[in-house]
């Protein structure tokens, strides 16, 4: 059974990112995956300060929740990352989370993520592609650098208020189909 780890990068519990990811997750579960969802807003994930203890075979010098998440990332086959756009970038929560992927940027740890399938979900209030494109590229470039496999992207523009995405039924169906596809072709 494929293991899926979904990571909600919005601090707003029950918000649009949470709802969108829940549909991807339901799709993955319907295709037989075992799914776990974590919410970065409920965890303590500090900044990477580039000490590179991890590159010397030592645990991350930040003794926080990321230590356990490294293990969850290593153990899953599929990672689903969701963030709203915050000031034309990902949230600070998601940025800190991805910064900590420096851990995987050494030969000893790279095998934990090399080839791992990832899907990315982005929500935003504006509707211009110029607003969401850099956020998608942030993921594309960072994941490619780590030799991860960005297997699917879903963008939901035009959703600002909490829960506004519930009206976007086609987008939610697309999210469900993405979840099914991620597992069916894994
Ligand atoms: C601090 C902050 C910054 C934001 N910056 C942008 C932005 O630059 N562009 C945009 O389209 N929406 C922006 N938004 C709106 C959110 O992307 C939007 O409300 C989204 O649906 C929130 O997702 P959530 O419900 O999962 O938290 C911002 C919201 C907040 C709170």
């Amino acid at each position: 059974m494929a293991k899926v780890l979904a990571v909600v990068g919005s601090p707003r519990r029950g918000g649009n990112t949470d709802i969108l990811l829940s549909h991807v997750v339901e799709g993955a579960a319907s295709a037989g995956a075992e799914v776990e969802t974590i919410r970065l807003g409920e965890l303590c994930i500090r900044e990477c300060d580039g000490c590179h203890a991890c590159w010397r075979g030592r645990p991350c010098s930040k003794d926080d929740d990321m230590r356990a998440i490294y293990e969850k990332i290593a153990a899953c086959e599929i990672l689903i990352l969701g963030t709203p756009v915050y000031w034309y970038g990902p949230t600070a929560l998601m940025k800190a989370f991805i910064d900590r992927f420096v851990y995987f940027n050494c030969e000893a740890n790279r095998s934990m993520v090399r080839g791992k399938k990832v899907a990315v979900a982005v929500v935003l209030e504006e509707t211009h592609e110029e607003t969401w494109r850099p956020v998608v590229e942030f993921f594309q470039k960072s994941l490619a650098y780590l030799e991860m496999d960005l297997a699917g992207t879903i963008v939901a523009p035009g959703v600002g208020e909490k829960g506004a995405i519930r009206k976007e039924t086609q987008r939610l169906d697309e999210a469900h189909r993405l979840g099914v596809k991620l597992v069916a072709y894994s």
Side-chain angles (χ1 to χ4, degrees):
M1 187 187 287
K3 275 194 183 173
V4 174
L5 179 66
V7 180
V8 180
S10 169
R12 185 153 73 167
R13 195 183 171 106
N16 298 315
T17 310
D18 217 342
I19 294 166
L20 187 62
L21 279 202
S22 73
H23 282 72
V24 182
V25 158
E26 281 166 24
S30 74
E34 179 191 324
V35 188
E36 182 182 4
T37 299
I38 59 173
R39 293 181 177 79
L40 298 182
E42 295 170 359
L43 302 170
C44 175
I45 298 179
R46 293 189 53 200
E47 72 287 355
C48 175
D49 59 17
C51 75
H52 296 145
C54 53
W55 291 6
R56 293 190 289 275
R58 301 214 297 269
C60 179
S61 62
K62 300 286 161 64
D63 185 7
D64 60 16
D65 291 320
M66 198 65 191
R67 285 196 179 172
I69 296 173
Y70 287 134
E71 290 175 23
K72 290 180 190 291
I73 292 170
C76 76
E77 277 83 40
I78 300 165
L79 195 56
I80 304 171
L81 306 177
T83 185
V85 173
Y86 267 21
W87 294 117
Y88 305 99
T91 59
L93 291 170
M94 180 55 74
K95 183 63 167 61
F97 174 74
I98 296 293
D99 282 358
R100 295 286 290 278
F101 277 40
V102 163
Y103 177 86
F104 299 117
N105 192 28
C106 65
E107 200 40 48
N109 295 339
R110 178 62 67 90
S111 60
M112 296 180 198
V113 292
R114 185 180 285 124
K116 190 155 306 216
K117 201 181 267 198
V118 188
V120 164
V122 176
V123 307
L124 65 154
E125 183 162 21
E126 293 171 48
T127 53
H128 321 288
E129 182 168 347
E130 309 92 83
T131 302
W132 55 260
R133 176 65 57 195
V135 181
V136 170
E137 286 176 354
F138 153 74
F139 284 111
Q140 280 172 341
K141 291 174 187 173
S142 305
L143 299 169
Y145 192 94
L146 290 167
E147 303 171 86
M148 300 176 83
D149 172 18
L150 182 54
T153 303
I154 183 163
V155 178
V159 289
E161 294 295 312
K162 184 176 182 180
I165 202 166
R166 287 194 196 283
K167 293 190 188 134
E168 305 285 324
T169 51
Q170 287 188 357
R171 196 75 68 197
L172 297 179
D173 288 347
E174 183 190 342
H176 188 277
R177 286 197 302 277
L178 173 62
V180 172
K181 188 187 91 174
L182 287 168
V183 176
Y185 298 105
S186 67

